[in-house]
Amino acid sequence: MLAAGCAPRHKGHRVGFAAAPPPPLSEIESGDLRAEPGYTGERIGVRILGVTDLPEEELQAIDLDVPLDAERIDRIEIFSPGGRPIEQSKDAEIRPLPDPDNTGIRIYLPKRNGLEFRIKLIDDPDQY
C-alpha cells in the first residue's frame, strides 16, 4: 500500500533565495531574406522596401516593412542564413510607416548584390 501525501511538506524560509527570474525575452526570427526591393520573406512576411548603396561607407542601407507593432521591437540582431551573426557597423533604425500595425526598420549591411540575411526581432519586456 502506498502512503502518498501522508508526510507533511516542509515550507521553511530559504535565506538568500532570489525572486523568480525575469520572464524570457520574446524573439521572432524572419527566416531568410534577400536584399532586393520587393522581396517578401515567407516566415513572418517581412518585405524589402528598398536597398540604397552608401559608397562612402561601403555599406548598403536596407529598408524593411515588418508586420509587427514597433512596441514589440526593442532590439534587432542580424544573421547569415547559416545562423552566424553579422556584425553591424551602424545600429538598426526603427522608423514609422503609414500603417500603424507595421514597423519600418533600416539596417546596414556590407554591399553585395542579392545578399541574404535573417533578422531577429527582440522584445524585452523590462526595456521600458
Side-chain angles (χ1 to χ4, degrees):
M1 205 191 263
L2 292 174
C6 291
R9 292 187 178 194
H10 179 65
K11 293 184 179 181
H13 176 71
R14 292 176 63 185
V15 177
F17 180 70
L25 300 176
S26 175
E27 299 179 352
I28 299 172
E29 193 170 311
S30 69
D32 293 349
L33 300 170
R34 189 174 311 125
E36 294 176 3
Y39 185 89
T40 300
E42 294 179 9
R43 182 140 188 239
I44 61 173
V46 174
R47 187 166 51 103
I48 308 297
L49 296 175
V51 178
T52 306
D53 285 341
L54 305 174
E56 67 278 359
E57 300 179 57
E58 295 297 321
L59 296 173
Q60 56 188 350
I62 303 171
D63 294 309
L64 310 170
D65 180 345
V66 178
L68 291 173
D69 180 358
E71 296 287 321
R72 295 185 57 198
I73 304 171
D74 294 317
R75 284 192 332 229
I76 301 161
E77 295 177 358
I78 304 172
F79 297 88
S80 72
R84 284 175 275 135
I86 297 175
E87 290 297 320
Q88 300 299 292
S89 58
K90 290 179 97 170
D91 289 337
E93 301 167 11
I94 297 177
R95 301 168 169 226
L97 289 177
D99 181 349
D101 293 330
N102 288 18
T103 300
I105 295 176
R106 176 172 265 200
I107 60 173
Y108 299 91
L109 295 176
K111 244 192 280 191
R112 224 171 318 168
N113 287 338
L115 176 69
E116 292 189 353
F117 60 96
R118 294 179 180 189
I119 60 172
K120 184 184 289 186
L121 306 166
I122 301 167
D123 180 14
D124 184 354
D126 294 332
Q127 184 75 15
Y128 295 100

